[in-house]
Amino acid sequence: MDQVLYSVVQFPNGGTAIVLQSWLRDNTLLWPPKKIPLAKALQQRMEPDSTWITYSDVRQLITCQTYEEARRGEHKYNTPMCATAEIESEEEKEEREKRKTKPNPLYMDSDSDEPSGEVKKPRVLRPPNVRVPESWSQLARNELPITNEEDFNEAEALLKTEAVRQKMIARLAMVGGTSSTCRIRRMLAAALTNGLACKFSWAGKAYKHSEAKLPFRDTSLQDCMFVASRQCDRKLTQQTFSDIVKNWLRYAPWRAGGLKKN
């Protein structure tokens, strides 16, 4: 029986996972679909087919012969202040061993017998080249916070792409906050202006004496915010998240200067 190798990989958003070596194609990872749990795919050593999800720009950290060894490697990577040499790949380890310390010419005696000349800098392994789609670059530079419905619909179309969705989740997770409530409000303020937020409510109900509200709960942006919030607070529920968003949207007209707060 051929030897099965396991790899610890890192996604562009910083997350890690243990996969089979056969699932990797250079910097591309084939991931089991939602109907197949990762544990089952690893246990049965499944091979990818056309239904599997493709993730690009995935970095391979280490390769191990057993699953337990891969778990220990992933734990060391996610542990703060761990030694880099303990988790580096074979290629990185070999590259590090090739490096040689050379004296800095700025601090060498001019009368030294050492031959003069340019001292080559030690070669350092370059980090993986994470390619960002042009659509994501435009979204990150020009469209946040989103100011109108046209730009919002364009952003929703871009977020249908998995790579763009992961980038948005990673960016929203970096907003930070002292609590889940503060963090979610900061995400909303970073993504939407108060003028655009006035056009939304959580369920999108219509009112008799005012314009109909668009449903925010059905948007891809709302889904990205919830996933980013869960990365910082695993105990956060959908109900708690929706209540915070409802209150923030409810007082958007007041923040925009159009209504008085009761």
Side-chain angles (χ1 to χ4, degrees), residues 217-236:
R217 67 180 178 185
D218 300 332
T219 62
S220 299
L221 182 60
Q222 175 274 143
D223 178 67
C224 292
M225 290 184 180
F226 179 67
V227 174
S229 301
R230 286 273 298 173
Q231 289 182 356
C232 303
D233 183 5
R234 292 295 182 183
K235 297 182 180 180
L236 180 68

Side-chain angles (χ1 to χ4, degrees), residues 1 13 15 69 136 166 177 179 187 201 212 224 226 230 252:
M1 181 179 295
N13 64 350
E69 184 180 353
W136 163 252
Q166 293 297 332
S179 63
M187 289 181 187
S201 67
C224 292
F226 179 67
R230 286 273 298 173

Side-chain angles (χ1 to χ4, degrees), residues 6 23 32 42 70 82 121 171 185 192 202 219 236 252 257 262:
Y6 297 88
W23 297 357
L42 290 173
C82 69
K121 295 182 180 180
R171 179 177 180 182
R185 288 175 178 174
L192 302 174
W202 178 255
T219 62
L236 180 68
N262 293 332

Side-chain angles (χ1 to χ4, degrees), residues 10 18 46-47 78 106 176 200-201 205 219-220 223 227 259:
Q10 181 185 33
I18 300 175
M46 296 182 177
E47 290 299 324
N78 291 319
L106 296 177
F200 286 93
S201 67
K205 295 181 180 179
T219 62
S220 299
D223 178 67
V227 174
L259 294 175

